[in-house]
Structure formats: C-alpha cells, structure tokens
C-alpha cells in the first residue's frame, strides 16, 4: 500500500516567531533525514564554541573580594598607611582595586573633614592605602576595598 505525503511550499508555512527548546528542526546525515530538538542543537553549539568550558572555568578566571577596616586613626595634619592583608598577591593572578569606600567615623560618617585617599598600591603583604588629613585635628575613618583577582594570562 502506497503512502500519500502532503507537500507544502516552505513560503506557505506559518512563522514560528519564538521557537522553544522542545521544537524540532529537520537535519540530514548524508541522504537520511532526521529530526533534532532545538535544545539539542543549542547544546552542540555551546560545546563547539567552548561556552560550556568557559562557564565551568569562569570562577577560576576572576575572583572578587571585599574587606573593611573600621576606626582608622588619622593624625592631625598628617598621613597614615593602612595595609589590607586580606589582599595578598596570588600566584597566577593580577590584583585590581575595583572600588574604595571611605567615610569619617569620628563624626558619624557625615563628611570627610579634610581627609582623603592619596595613594593605593599593591605590596607583598597586601594592598596599601595612604590617607592624608589636611585638618589640624585628628580623625577616624572607615575604609573598604573591593578587589578582583584576575588570572594573569587574561592580560597577555
């Protein structure tokens, strides 16, 4: 018994504006037609483009960490150096300071009272931050850093 196949011109098919993972597309291996779910095709593309490997290794590429030191005494008309020992160098990674957060703890944090950060540098024992006070009275500050460790090969 012969089968009857209804044919339709592709241009007459309705548009699928939002194909889903469970929808099928037609693929061929040599001259054998097969159906493939879009989800399967997406997984093949992810593997071929290395996206699965990148997603697996992204946490090794960059690590972000924060720390706060509170009530740092800053002398009148002087400077102080603070070392964040949490941010020591890590082999194979570059340190990048993403953000400083600085407020005056001696007056409830309402202003800086003439104190400012004038230098930040990496050191073997951590990251050093230098604070200067231009006022004739001493003060206290809270200082927070956010640091990213980014794998060194990323910069090459």
């Amino acid at each position: 018994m012969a089968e009857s196949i209804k044919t339709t011109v592709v241009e007459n098919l309705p548009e699928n504006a939002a194909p889903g993972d469970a929808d099928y597309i037609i693929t061929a291996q040599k001259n054998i037609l097969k159906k493939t779910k879009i989800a399967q095709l997406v997984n093949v593309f992810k593997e071929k483009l290395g996206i699965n490997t990148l997603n697996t290794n992204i946490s090794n590429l960059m690590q972000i960490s924060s720390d706060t030191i509170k009530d740092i005494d800053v002398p009148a008309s002087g400077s102080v150096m603070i070392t964040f020992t949490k941010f020591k160098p890590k082999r194979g990674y570059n340190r990048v300071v993403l953000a400083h957060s600085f407020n005056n703890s001696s007056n409830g944090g309402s202003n800086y009272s003439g104190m400012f950060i004038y230098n930040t540098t990496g050191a073997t024992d951590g990251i050093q931050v230098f604070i200067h006070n231009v006022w004739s009275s001493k003060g206290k500050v809270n200082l927070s850093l956010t640091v990213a460790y980014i794998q060194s090969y990323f910069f090459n």
Side-chain angles (χ1 to χ4, degrees), residues 23-24 53 80 89 145:
D23 290 345
Y24 288 101
T53 303
V80 66
L145 287 185

Side-chain angles (χ1 to χ4, degrees), residues 21-150:
D21 287 346
D23 290 345
Y24 288 101
I25 60 170
I26 302 298
T27 59
Q29 287 180 326
K30 297 190 179 185
N31 57 354
I32 299 172
L33 291 177
K34 295 185 177 189
K35 64 182 181 182
T36 304
K37 284 188 178 180
I38 289 181
Q40 291 171 295
L41 189 61
V42 168
N43 286 335
V44 168
F45 285 147
K46 282 182 177 180
E47 194 61 41
K48 297 285 184 190
L49 295 172
I51 293 170
N52 288 337
T53 303
L54 179 62
N55 286 339
T56 301
N57 295 329
I58 195 89
S59 63
N60 292 332
L61 177 64
M62 182 169 64
Q63 301 161 2
I64 298 176
S65 184
S66 296
D67 194 18
T68 300
I69 299 176
K70 293 187 175 195
D71 294 326
I72 302 165
D73 287 316
V74 183
S77 301
S79 299
V80 66
M81 179 192 73
I82 303 301
T83 301
F84 282 81
T85 56
K86 179 178 181 177
F87 304 123
K88 291 183 169 129
K90 291 183 183 180
R91 186 183 186 106
Y93 287 87
N94 290 341
R95 292 176 293 177
V96 178
V97 176
L98 300 177
H100 292 97
S101 176
F102 176 74
N103 69 32
N104 187 334
S105 63
S106 57
N107 66 3
S110 63
N111 63 42
Y112 297 110
S113 297
M115 291 180 270
F116 60 91
I117 296 170
Y118 69 92
N119 192 9
T120 302
T121 187
T124 57
D125 57 346
I127 291 183
Q128 297 172 336
V129 179
F130 298 83
I131 302 170
H132 186 71
N133 184 359
V134 297
W135 288 47
S136 58
S137 59
K138 69 179 185 172
K140 288 185 178 283
V141 295
N142 298 325
L143 180 61
S144 298
L145 287 185
T146 301
V147 174
Y149 286 90
I150 303 172

